[in-house]
């Protein structure tokens, strides 16, 4: 266990040490923002002046030149290729822009495979493999067979726990209809959270801390809640059982309830995004303390190194809990919102 922790910390510290050239001159803000942000290449580490990166495909459609697909290595160092480059500053800083003859720059339709997208595809493929491996164990399993072990046993335990103790009580009698979505959301978020805590390639990407990812997840819950909502659910929004003066002529309560339709998924989006982003930022900031204090003397730097190591280990352990907790909370709130929208609806399904 001690060797594992040491290995993980070295994988975090080595890139930081290389980035500062070993003299303590590092930009903590740049390091943290670079990790939290997205990019057109996957930076692994830096050894001296050499950057070890994995270039990713740039897929853009210009206003007049049509579609282009090329490696992001073509744009390294601010270079221009086929009329495109990565803007160094301005409103489009860090994004691919199209350069025109008059010197202006516009943002093309950008469908590039960025670091977040690549990590998302990788994690999704990994999740599919895990689920298929677990399902394979049940393909030829008989009812009188012994309880499954290994991955299949772990998945069975988690699925049964989520179904019986979370989804069924929160989503109500029609929980079976929404169970596949809620289980998928839980395992998808959990896997992305855990992969983000592994500090070396091909993991370590801040997928759950990207607001675009949490926006799509929240939008999926929004659609599940409102597209399958009962008549009672919509009646409580537009004409609730309250005194008439609260509904007409000024629809005070209906307006509040209508706004609540959008605030619920918004809260889901921000909660997951903020918690995961903050965890990554805190761990990196604590690690950078070692290199920031290098020029303050051996005594101070040695003391801060001990503090940084202790708090980094603590935060990594805490983030393991947060990774599960955030997946659980997102799934639980989604199930609660779906269950409230199903209230009053007749179900013929057997529990």
């Amino acid at each position: 266990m001690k060797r594992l922790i040491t290995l993980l910390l070295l994988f975090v510290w080595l890139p930081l040490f290389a980035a500062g050239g070993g003299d303590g001159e590092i930009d903590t803000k740049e390091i943290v923002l670079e990790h939290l942000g997205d990019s057109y290449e996957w930076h692994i580490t830096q050894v001296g002046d050499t950057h070890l990166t994995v270039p990713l495909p740039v897929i853009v459609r210009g206003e007049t030149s049509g579609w282009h697909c090329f490696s992001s290595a073509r744009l390294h160092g601010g270079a221009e290729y086929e009329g495109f480059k990565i803007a160094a500053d301005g409103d489009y800083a860090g994004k691919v822009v199209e350069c025109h003859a008059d010197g202006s720059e516009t943002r093309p339709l950008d469908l590039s495979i960025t670091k977040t997208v690549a990590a998302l595809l990788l994690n999704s493929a990994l999740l599919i493999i895990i689920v298929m491996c677990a399902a394979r164990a049940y393909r030829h399993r008989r009812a009188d067979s012994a309880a499954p072990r290994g991955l299949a046993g772990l998945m069975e335990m988690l699925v049964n726990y989520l179904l019986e103790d979370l989804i069924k009580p929160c989503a109500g009698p029609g929980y079976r209809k929404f169970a596949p979505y809620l289980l998928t959301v839980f395992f998808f978020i959990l896997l992305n959270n855990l992969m983000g805590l592994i500090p070396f390639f091909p993991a370590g990407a801040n997928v759950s801390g990207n607001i675009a990812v949490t926006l799509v997840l929240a939008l999926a819950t929004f659609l599940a809640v409102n597209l399958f909502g009962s008549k009672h659910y919509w009646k409580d929004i537009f004409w609730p059982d309250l005194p008439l003066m609260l509904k007409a002529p000024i629809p005070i309560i209906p307006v509040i309830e209508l706004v609540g339709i959008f605030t619920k998924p918004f809260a889901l989006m921000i909660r997951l995004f903020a918690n995961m982003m903050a965890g990554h930022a805190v761990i990196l900031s604590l690690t950078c303390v070692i290199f920031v204090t290098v020029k303050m003397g051996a005594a101070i730097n040695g003391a801060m190194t001990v503090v940084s190591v202790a708090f980094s280990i603590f935060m990594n352990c805490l983030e393991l809990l947060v990774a599960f907790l955030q997946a659980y909370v997102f799934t639980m709130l989604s199930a609660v919102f779906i269950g409230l929208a199903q209230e009053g609806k007749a179900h013929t399904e057997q529990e």
Side-chain angles (χ1 to χ4, degrees), residues 115-132:
K115 177 182 176 181
T116 300
V117 175
L120 194 60
L121 294 174
L122 176 64
N123 295 345
S124 299
L126 181 59
L127 179 60
I128 292 174
I129 292 173
I130 292 173
V131 172
M132 295 302 294

Side-chain angles (χ1 to χ4, degrees), residues 12 16 28-39 42-43 115-116 195-200 203-207 209-210 276-277 279-284:
V12 174
L16 297 177
T28 304
K29 179 180 178 181
E30 181 182 352
I31 291 173
V32 174
L33 292 180
E34 180 183 358
H35 175 77
L36 297 179
D38 204 358
S39 64
W42 199 319
H43 186 272
K115 177 182 176 181
T116 300
M195 289 291 286
L197 294 177
I198 302 175
F200 48 84
N206 184 35
V207 176
N210 188 302
M276 300 314 301
M277 181 189 68
H280 283 250
V282 169
I283 291 174
L284 280 173

Side-chain angles (χ1 to χ4, degrees), residues 51-241:
H51 290 267
L52 300 179
T53 62
V54 177
L56 299 171
V58 175
I59 307 171
V60 291
R61 185 181 187 278
E63 292 182 356
T64 57
S65 57
W67 288 99
H68 300 260
C69 182
F70 51 87
S71 171
S72 61
R74 301 281 189 176
L75 305 179
H76 185 71
E80 182 178 332
Y81 182 75
E82 294 186 357
F84 297 92
K85 71 174 185 178
I86 297 178
D89 50 25
D91 296 335
Y92 304 130
K95 302 295 183 181
V96 170
V97 294
E98 184 177 9
C99 304
H100 300 283
D102 59 359
S104 62
E105 298 177 351
T106 58
R107 186 86 167 95
L109 176 61
D110 192 351
L111 301 179
S112 303
I113 306 298
T114 62
K115 177 182 176 181
T116 300
V117 175
L120 194 60
L121 294 174
L122 176 64
N123 295 345
S124 299
L126 181 59
L127 179 60
I128 292 174
I129 292 173
I130 292 173
V131 172
M132 295 302 294
C133 289
R136 184 179 180 182
Y138 286 89
R139 186 170 300 171
H140 304 293
R141 184 170 177 268
R142 297 180 302 176
D144 58 347
S145 300
R149 299 180 180 181
L151 179 62
L154 176 63
M155 292 295 291
E156 179 179 326
M157 178 190 69
L158 287 174
V159 169
N160 284 335
Y161 168 72
L162 293 170
L163 279 175
E164 297 299 327
D165 295 343
L166 176 64
I167 297 175
K168 186 175 180 180
C170 294
Y175 74 97
R176 292 186 183 276
K177 182 178 181 181
F178 302 98
Y181 165 69
L182 294 172
L183 289 172
T184 301
V185 165
F186 174 82
F187 286 108
F188 177 78
I189 296 175
L190 178 61
L191 183 62
N192 279 289
N193 290 349
L194 293 176
M195 289 291 286
L197 294 177
I198 302 175
F200 48 84
F201 180 83
N206 184 35
V207 176
S208 301
N210 188 302
I211 198 168
V213 175
T214 60
L215 171 63
V216 173
L217 291 172
L219 180 61
T221 295
F222 173 81
L223 294 176
V225 170
N226 294 285
L227 290 181
F228 299 97
S230 64
K231 294 180 180 179
H232 181 78
Y233 166 73
W234 290 108
K235 177 181 176 296
D236 277 349
I237 292 176
F238 293 106
W239 199 257
D241 296 328

Side-chain angles (χ1 to χ4, degrees), residues 266-281:
F266 181 79
L268 286 176
M269 174 185 71
I270 296 299
R271 178 182 287 106
L272 179 58
F273 160 71
N275 279 281
M276 300 314 301
M277 181 189 68
H280 283 250

